[in-house]
Amino acid sequence: MVTVRVPAKVNVQLGVGGVRPDGYHDLANVFFAVALGDQVTATPGAGVTLSCDGPDAAAVPLDEDNLAARAARLLAAHHGLADPGVHLHIDKAIPVAGGMAGGSADGAAALLACDALWGLDTPFDTLLELAAELGSDVPFALLGGVALGRGRGELLEPLPVSGTFHWVFAVADGGLSTPAVFRECDRLREESGRGSSLADVPTPDADPALLAALAEGDPVALAAALGNDLQAAAVSLRPALADTLHAGTEAGALAALVSGSGPTCAFLAKDADSAAHLAAALRTSGTCRTAHATHGPVPGAQVVSAPRP
Ligand code: ATP
C-alpha cells in the first residue's frame, strides 16, 4: 500500500491573455501550494478501481473520467503494462470544482502512488511530462512550492520564496466550471469594448512586485500585489461571491481574492492567529459553506508512511 499526500493550489497571480486560435488562453499563472490537500492511497487490485471519502465525495466521478484513474492508465501505458492493477482511494479535503485544482492534485498523486506501488522508478522529469498530458494544472501538483506557469500554465519555473504565508479558504456550495469562467471572462472583455482576442489583450507577465513580495516573505506586500483576471468573471457568474470577499475583508484579511476560477475565495492573513480568527468569522458569516485556515508554500505530492487516521 502506498499513500501520497498532495497539496491544493491558489493562484496568487492569474493573468489571462487573449483567446488563442486553438481556444486556449496564454496565462501568467503564479501557483502557490497550500497545506490543505488530498491523500491518495494505492493498493494492489484488478484493473483500475476507485473510491473516495470526504465532505465533497458525492461530487467526485468514480469512473474513467476521474483524473486519478486516467493518471494510473497513462503511467501503465507509458511503461507498456498491459494489465495494470490498482485500487485508488481518494481522501478528499480539496473542494471539488472549487478553483483549487483538486482533480489535478489527485492525478499527480496517483502518478506517484502507482509509480511506487508498481516499482517503476519513473524519472521525475518523465512524471512531469505525463502530468502535463493529463492537464495543465497537474505538473504543479507534483512540483509544489511556488512556481510561474506559462503557456496554458504547464510550462513551470520554480520561484524563490521565503517564510510561510497564512491563508484562509472559504468554500462555497457547489462548483464553477473552469471553461465556463474563461468564456465569461471573454464575454465581459467583449462587452466592455476591449475585445478578447490575442490582438486585443496584452500578453500577461508575472508582476515584479508580486515576485519580490514572495521572495522577501512579506505578506503585506503580497496582499497588495495579488491579482486574478478571472475574478470578475467568477463573480459575474456567482454574484454572492462578492459578499464572501467582503466578509473576509471586514474580518481583517490583508487581501481577498477568488481562487483560480472559483468559487472558493482565498484570504491572506497576517499570521496564524489572524488566519484562525478569520476562518471562525467566515464560518459564522453566512456567506460560505465552511472556511479552512491553512498555510504554504508546501512541497508537491509526496509519499507518506501512513494515511491520516
Ligand atoms: P481547476 O482549478 O484545475 O480548474 P477545480 O479545482 O475548479 O479545477 P476540480 O476539483 O479539479 O476543479 O474538478 C473539476 C471537475 O473535474 C469536477 O467537476 C469533476 O467532474 C472532475 N474530476 C475528475 N477527477 C476528479 C477528482 N479526482 N476530484 C475531483 N474532481 C474530479
PDB file of all heavy atoms in Angstrom, residues 233-254:
ATOM      1  N   ALA A 233     -15.135  37.486 -13.777  1.00  0.00           N
ATOM      2  CA  ALA A 233     -15.997  36.501 -14.452  1.00  0.00           C
ATOM      3  C   ALA A 233     -16.635  35.569 -13.432  1.00  0.00           C
ATOM      4  O   ALA A 233     -17.830  35.246 -13.529  1.00  0.00           O
ATOM      5  CB  ALA A 233     -15.177  35.714 -15.468  1.00  0.00           C
ATOM      6  N   ALA A 234     -15.853  35.118 -12.439  1.00  0.00           N
ATOM      7  CA  ALA A 234     -16.404  34.218 -11.411  1.00  0.00           C
ATOM      8  C   ALA A 234     -17.507  34.943 -10.627  1.00  0.00           C
ATOM      9  O   ALA A 234     -18.568  34.367 -10.355  1.00  0.00           O
ATOM     10  CB  ALA A 234     -15.299  33.734 -10.473  1.00  0.00           C
ATOM     11  N   VAL A 235     -17.278  36.215 -10.291  1.00  0.00           N
ATOM     12  CA  VAL A 235     -18.284  36.974  -9.525  1.00  0.00           C
ATOM     13  C   VAL A 235     -19.513  37.245 -10.396  1.00  0.00           C
ATOM     14  O   VAL A 235     -20.651  37.223  -9.920  1.00  0.00           O
ATOM     15  CB  VAL A 235     -17.681  38.273  -8.951  1.00  0.00           C
ATOM     16  CG1 VAL A 235     -18.750  39.128  -8.276  1.00  0.00           C
ATOM     17  CG2 VAL A 235     -16.562  37.956  -7.952  1.00  0.00           C
ATOM     18  N   SER A 236     -19.280  37.460 -11.696  1.00  0.00           N
ATOM     19  CA  SER A 236     -20.408  37.680 -12.605  1.00  0.00           C
ATOM     20  C   SER A 236     -21.320  36.440 -12.652  1.00  0.00           C
ATOM     21  O   SER A 236     -22.544  36.552 -12.646  1.00  0.00           O
ATOM     22  CB  SER A 236     -19.864  38.028 -13.998  1.00  0.00           C
ATOM     23  OG  SER A 236     -20.875  37.967 -14.959  1.00  0.00           O
ATOM     24  N   LEU A 237     -20.691  35.245 -12.670  1.00  0.00           N
ATOM     25  CA  LEU A 237     -21.484  34.011 -12.704  1.00  0.00           C
ATOM     26  C   LEU A 237     -22.069  33.669 -11.333  1.00  0.00           C
ATOM     27  O   LEU A 237     -23.068  32.956 -11.240  1.00  0.00           O
ATOM     28  CB  LEU A 237     -20.620  32.834 -13.188  1.00  0.00           C
ATOM     29  CG  LEU A 237     -20.158  32.906 -14.640  1.00  0.00           C
ATOM     30  CD1 LEU A 237     -19.216  31.748 -14.959  1.00  0.00           C
ATOM     31  CD2 LEU A 237     -21.340  32.888 -15.607  1.00  0.00           C
ATOM     32  N   ARG A 238     -21.418  34.121 -10.268  1.00  0.00           N
ATOM     33  CA  ARG A 238     -21.846  33.789  -8.900  1.00  0.00           C
ATOM     34  C   ARG A 238     -21.759  35.065  -8.058  1.00  0.00           C
ATOM     35  O   ARG A 238     -20.832  35.246  -7.281  1.00  0.00           O
ATOM     36  CB  ARG A 238     -20.919  32.698  -8.355  1.00  0.00           C
ATOM     37  CG  ARG A 238     -21.361  32.057  -7.056  1.00  0.00           C
ATOM     38  CD  ARG A 238     -22.524  31.108  -7.214  1.00  0.00           C
ATOM     39  NE  ARG A 238     -22.142  29.867  -7.871  1.00  0.00           N
ATOM     40  CZ  ARG A 238     -21.574  28.822  -7.247  1.00  0.00           C
ATOM     41  NH1 ARG A 238     -21.350  28.853  -5.959  1.00  0.00           N
ATOM     42  NH2 ARG A 238     -21.271  27.737  -7.918  1.00  0.00           N
ATOM     43  N   PRO A 239     -22.757  35.999  -8.231  1.00  0.00           N
ATOM     44  CA  PRO A 239     -22.667  37.321  -7.580  1.00  0.00           C
ATOM     45  C   PRO A 239     -22.494  37.255  -6.060  1.00  0.00           C
ATOM     46  O   PRO A 239     -21.901  38.153  -5.462  1.00  0.00           O
ATOM     47  CB  PRO A 239     -23.984  38.001  -7.964  1.00  0.00           C
ATOM     48  CG  PRO A 239     -24.407  37.314  -9.232  1.00  0.00           C
ATOM     49  CD  PRO A 239     -23.927  35.896  -9.113  1.00  0.00           C
ATOM     50  N   ALA A 240     -22.957  36.155  -5.423  1.00  0.00           N
ATOM     51  CA  ALA A 240     -22.842  36.049  -3.961  1.00  0.00           C
ATOM     52  C   ALA A 240     -21.388  36.024  -3.503  1.00  0.00           C
ATOM     53  O   ALA A 240     -21.092  36.280  -2.327  1.00  0.00           O
ATOM     54  CB  ALA A 240     -23.567  34.797  -3.479  1.00  0.00           C
ATOM     55  N   LEU A 241     -20.455  35.731  -4.427  1.00  0.00           N
ATOM     56  CA  LEU A 241     -19.040  35.716  -4.029  1.00  0.00           C
ATOM     57  C   LEU A 241     -18.575  37.090  -3.562  1.00  0.00           C
ATOM     58  O   LEU A 241     -17.648  37.194  -2.756  1.00  0.00           O
ATOM     59  CB  LEU A 241     -18.144  35.238  -5.190  1.00  0.00           C
ATOM     60  CG  LEU A 241     -18.319  33.778  -5.604  1.00  0.00           C
ATOM     61  CD1 LEU A 241     -17.317  33.431  -6.696  1.00  0.00           C
ATOM     62  CD2 LEU A 241     -18.143  32.858  -4.404  1.00  0.00           C
ATOM     63  N   ALA A 242     -19.207  38.146  -4.068  1.00  0.00           N
ATOM     64  CA  ALA A 242     -18.836  39.496  -3.624  1.00  0.00           C
ATOM     65  C   ALA A 242     -19.062  39.631  -2.120  1.00  0.00           C
ATOM     66  O   ALA A 242     -18.263  40.264  -1.415  1.00  0.00           O
ATOM     67  CB  ALA A 242     -19.643  40.542  -4.393  1.00  0.00           C
ATOM     68  N   ASP A 243     -20.139  38.993  -1.600  1.00  0.00           N
ATOM     69  CA  ASP A 243     -20.421  39.058  -0.158  1.00  0.00           C
ATOM     70  C   ASP A 243     -19.347  38.301   0.632  1.00  0.00           C
ATOM     71  O   ASP A 243     -18.937  38.729   1.712  1.00  0.00           O
ATOM     72  CB  ASP A 243     -21.793  38.430   0.147  1.00  0.00           C
ATOM     73  CG  ASP A 243     -22.918  39.179  -0.561  1.00  0.00           C
ATOM     74  OD1 ASP A 243     -22.748  40.377  -0.825  1.00  0.00           O
ATOM     75  OD2 ASP A 243     -23.950  38.541  -0.864  1.00  0.00           O
ATOM     76  N   THR A 244     -18.922  37.140   0.093  1.00  0.00           N
ATOM     77  CA  THR A 244     -17.884  36.352   0.784  1.00  0.00           C
ATOM     78  C   THR A 244     -16.584  37.153   0.855  1.00  0.00           C
ATOM     79  O   THR A 244     -15.943  37.234   1.916  1.00  0.00           O
ATOM     80  CB  THR A 244     -17.631  35.031   0.018  1.00  0.00           C
ATOM     81  OG1 THR A 244     -18.870  34.468  -0.385  1.00  0.00           O
ATOM     82  CG2 THR A 244     -16.846  34.053   0.864  1.00  0.00           C
ATOM     83  N   LEU A 245     -16.206  37.766  -0.280  1.00  0.00           N
ATOM     84  CA  LEU A 245     -14.954  38.544  -0.319  1.00  0.00           C
ATOM     85  C   LEU A 245     -15.046  39.705   0.677  1.00  0.00           C
ATOM     86  O   LEU A 245     -14.101  39.972   1.436  1.00  0.00           O
ATOM     87  CB  LEU A 245     -14.698  39.068  -1.740  1.00  0.00           C
ATOM     88  CG  LEU A 245     -14.430  37.968  -2.793  1.00  0.00           C
ATOM     89  CD1 LEU A 245     -14.477  38.555  -4.212  1.00  0.00           C
ATOM     90  CD2 LEU A 245     -13.080  37.300  -2.559  1.00  0.00           C
ATOM     91  N   HIS A 246     -16.215  40.346   0.709  1.00  0.00           N
ATOM     92  CA  HIS A 246     -16.411  41.479   1.608  1.00  0.00           C
ATOM     93  C   HIS A 246     -16.338  41.029   3.079  1.00  0.00           C
ATOM     94  O   HIS A 246     -15.698  41.684   3.914  1.00  0.00           O
ATOM     95  CB  HIS A 246     -17.761  42.133   1.294  1.00  0.00           C
ATOM     96  CG  HIS A 246     -18.043  43.340   2.125  1.00  0.00           C
ATOM     97  ND1 HIS A 246     -17.332  44.510   1.989  1.00  0.00           N
ATOM     98  CD2 HIS A 246     -18.928  43.543   3.132  1.00  0.00           C
ATOM     99  CE1 HIS A 246     -17.775  45.383   2.872  1.00  0.00           C
ATOM    100  NE2 HIS A 246     -18.745  44.827   3.578  1.00  0.00           N
ATOM    101  N   ALA A 247     -16.955  39.880   3.375  1.00  0.00           N
ATOM    102  CA  ALA A 247     -16.968  39.381   4.768  1.00  0.00           C
ATOM    103  C   ALA A 247     -15.540  39.127   5.258  1.00  0.00           C
ATOM    104  O   ALA A 247     -15.199  39.436   6.409  1.00  0.00           O
ATOM    105  CB  ALA A 247     -17.805  38.108   4.862  1.00  0.00           C
ATOM    106  N   GLY A 248     -14.692  38.575   4.395  1.00  0.00           N
ATOM    107  CA  GLY A 248     -13.309  38.301   4.797  1.00  0.00           C
ATOM    108  C   GLY A 248     -12.515  39.576   5.005  1.00  0.00           C
ATOM    109  O   GLY A 248     -11.717  39.688   5.953  1.00  0.00           O
ATOM    110  N   THR A 249     -12.742  40.567   4.142  1.00  0.00           N
ATOM    111  CA  THR A 249     -12.031  41.845   4.284  1.00  0.00           C
ATOM    112  C   THR A 249     -12.462  42.531   5.583  1.00  0.00           C
ATOM    113  O   THR A 249     -11.623  43.027   6.336  1.00  0.00           O
ATOM    114  CB  THR A 249     -12.322  42.749   3.057  1.00  0.00           C
ATOM    115  OG1 THR A 249     -12.106  41.965   1.886  1.00  0.00           O
ATOM    116  CG2 THR A 249     -11.407  43.946   3.019  1.00  0.00           C
ATOM    117  N   GLU A 250     -13.772  42.502   5.849  1.00  0.00           N
ATOM    118  CA  GLU A 250     -14.306  43.094   7.091  1.00  0.00           C
ATOM    119  C   GLU A 250     -13.712  42.419   8.326  1.00  0.00           C
ATOM    120  O   GLU A 250     -13.506  43.053   9.356  1.00  0.00           O
ATOM    121  CB  GLU A 250     -15.834  42.904   7.137  1.00  0.00           C
ATOM    122  CG  GLU A 250     -16.596  43.820   6.228  1.00  0.00           C
ATOM    123  CD  GLU A 250     -16.637  45.233   6.780  1.00  0.00           C
ATOM    124  OE1 GLU A 250     -17.335  45.435   7.777  1.00  0.00           O
ATOM    125  OE2 GLU A 250     -15.933  46.099   6.229  1.00  0.00           O
ATOM    126  N   ALA A 251     -13.448  41.104   8.214  1.00  0.00           N
ATOM    127  CA  ALA A 251     -12.950  40.343   9.369  1.00  0.00           C
ATOM    128  C   ALA A 251     -11.436  40.448   9.506  1.00  0.00           C
ATOM    129  O   ALA A 251     -10.842  39.738  10.321  1.00  0.00           O
ATOM    130  CB  ALA A 251     -13.386  38.888   9.254  1.00  0.00           C
ATOM    131  N   GLY A 252     -10.801  41.290   8.687  1.00  0.00           N
ATOM    132  CA  GLY A 252      -9.382  41.581   8.912  1.00  0.00           C
ATOM    133  C   GLY A 252      -8.401  40.940   7.950  1.00  0.00           C
ATOM    134  O   GLY A 252      -7.187  40.977   8.207  1.00  0.00           O
ATOM    135  N   ALA A 253      -8.877  40.360   6.837  1.00  0.00           N
ATOM    136  CA  ALA A 253      -7.931  39.786   5.875  1.00  0.00           C
ATOM    137  C   ALA A 253      -7.062  40.893   5.277  1.00  0.00           C
ATOM    138  O   ALA A 253      -7.536  42.015   5.053  1.00  0.00           O
ATOM    139  CB  ALA A 253      -8.695  39.074   4.756  1.00  0.00           C
ATOM    140  N   LEU A 254      -5.791  40.563   5.019  1.00  0.00           N
ATOM    141  CA  LEU A 254      -4.925  41.531   4.331  1.00  0.00           C
ATOM    142  C   LEU A 254      -5.394  41.722   2.895  1.00  0.00           C
ATOM    143  O   LEU A 254      -5.230  42.798   2.324  1.00  0.00           O
ATOM    144  CB  LEU A 254      -3.474  41.029   4.308  1.00  0.00           C
ATOM    145  CG  LEU A 254      -2.747  40.893   5.648  1.00  0.00           C
ATOM    146  CD1 LEU A 254      -1.364  40.285   5.429  1.00  0.00           C
ATOM    147  CD2 LEU A 254      -2.636  42.250   6.328  1.00  0.00           C
TER     148      LEU A 254
END
